[in-house]
């Protein structure tokens, strides 16, 4: 039987995404066995991040500096802005290194069922960024869900008065995807977004 402190650590870890009670217990056992090489560096890293964690006032990214590293990177194309629902989406797109511009995190998506309205998101700050000028393209990188597409449509309406090119991520058949494994919504979107060959 574990002490209350070890049990509390296991419970705390089990609340993390991707870790259930068994995985958390294995992680705790590993940390206990490798106290000097695993637990202590983890504690120092958590404390350092916890002490310095901020939300970027420009884009809404989470970093240890404000403005964040992406916003101050001179190699980024300031004329291209990619709008995402949350920080996880920003990190996924940035990790791909395929988008050379900057980002804007909304902090969620519109949802009537959850009571999330435009004023609950970072839409006004997005409009303010575009209004300042210097942006040629806004990429609406919303998730391919009903709420994500509703949010993209709302943003397109709000941004149509600005002289920017509005684009959005393509949706449809994924690379390596087999048609018989795809759901009807994905197939419908792929058919609607079809383009000429060659």
């Amino acid at each position: 039987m574990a002490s209350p402190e070890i049990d509390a650590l296991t419970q705390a870890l089990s609340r993390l995404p991707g870790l259930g009670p068994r995985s958390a217990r294995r992680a705790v056992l590993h940390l206990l066995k490798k106290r000097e090489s695993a637990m202590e560096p983890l504690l120092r890293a958590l404390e350092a991040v916890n002490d310095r964690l901020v939300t970027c006032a420009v884009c809404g990214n989470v970093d240890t500096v404000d403005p964040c590293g992406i916003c101050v990177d001179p190699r980024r194309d300031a004329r291209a802005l990619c709008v995402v629902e949350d920080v996880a989406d920003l990190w996924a797109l940035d990790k791909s290194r395929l988008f050379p511009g900057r980002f804007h995190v909304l902090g969620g998506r519109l949802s009537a069922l959850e009571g999330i309205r435009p004023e609950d998101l970072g839409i006004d700050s997005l409009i303010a960024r575009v209004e300042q000028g210097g942006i040629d393209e806004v990429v609406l990188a919303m998730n391919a869900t009903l709420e994500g597409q509703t949010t993209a449509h709302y943003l397109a309406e709000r941004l149509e008065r600005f002289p920017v090119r509005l684009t959005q991520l393509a949706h449809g058949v994924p690379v390596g995807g087999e048609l018989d494994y795809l759901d009807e919504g994905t197939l419908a979107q792929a058919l609607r977004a079809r383009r000429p060959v060659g």
Side-chain angles (χ1 to χ4, degrees), residues 4-140:
E5 294 83 3
I6 293 173
D7 191 41
L9 176 59
T10 304
Q11 288 180 20
L13 287 177
S14 71
R15 288 191 289 271
L16 294 174
L19 286 181
R22 287 184 181 175
S23 298
R25 191 168 44 250
R26 282 194 297 273
V28 167
L29 287 172
H30 174 77
L31 290 170
L32 295 175
K33 287 179 186 175
K34 306 282 186 176
R35 185 173 181 173
E36 289 180 18
S37 63
M39 187 183 298
E40 290 176 8
L42 177 63
L43 284 171
R44 284 192 299 274
L46 285 170
E47 286 174 352
V49 168
N50 187 50
D51 291 344
R52 299 182 61 204
L53 192 65
V54 292
T55 299
C56 178
V58 177
C59 73
N61 187 16
V62 176
D63 205 337
T64 56
V65 292
D66 184 18
C68 71
I70 292 174
C71 286
V72 298
D73 187 346
R75 297 168 294 178
R76 296 270 179 178
D77 183 359
R79 296 168 300 161
L81 186 64
C82 183
V83 182
V84 296
E85 291 179 23
D86 58 42
V87 173
D89 300 330
L90 183 155
W91 289 0
L93 284 167
D94 189 51
K95 185 178 178 184
S96 74
R97 302 201 185 282
L98 296 173
F99 182 70
R102 299 204 172 138
F103 292 92
H104 187 87
V105 179
L106 292 176
R109 69 217 175 298
L110 297 174
S111 175
L113 291 175
E114 297 173 20
I116 301 173
R117 302 161 303 165
E119 53 270 19
D120 299 325
L121 303 175
I123 295 174
D124 289 340
S125 58
L126 167 65
I127 301 301
R129 285 181 79 179
V130 175
E131 209 166 33
Q132 288 176 358
I135 296 174
D136 297 333
E137 179 184 13
V138 175
V139 181
L140 301 176

Side-chain angles (χ1 to χ4, degrees), residues 1 7 158:
M1 190 89 175
D7 191 41
R158 291 281 308 267

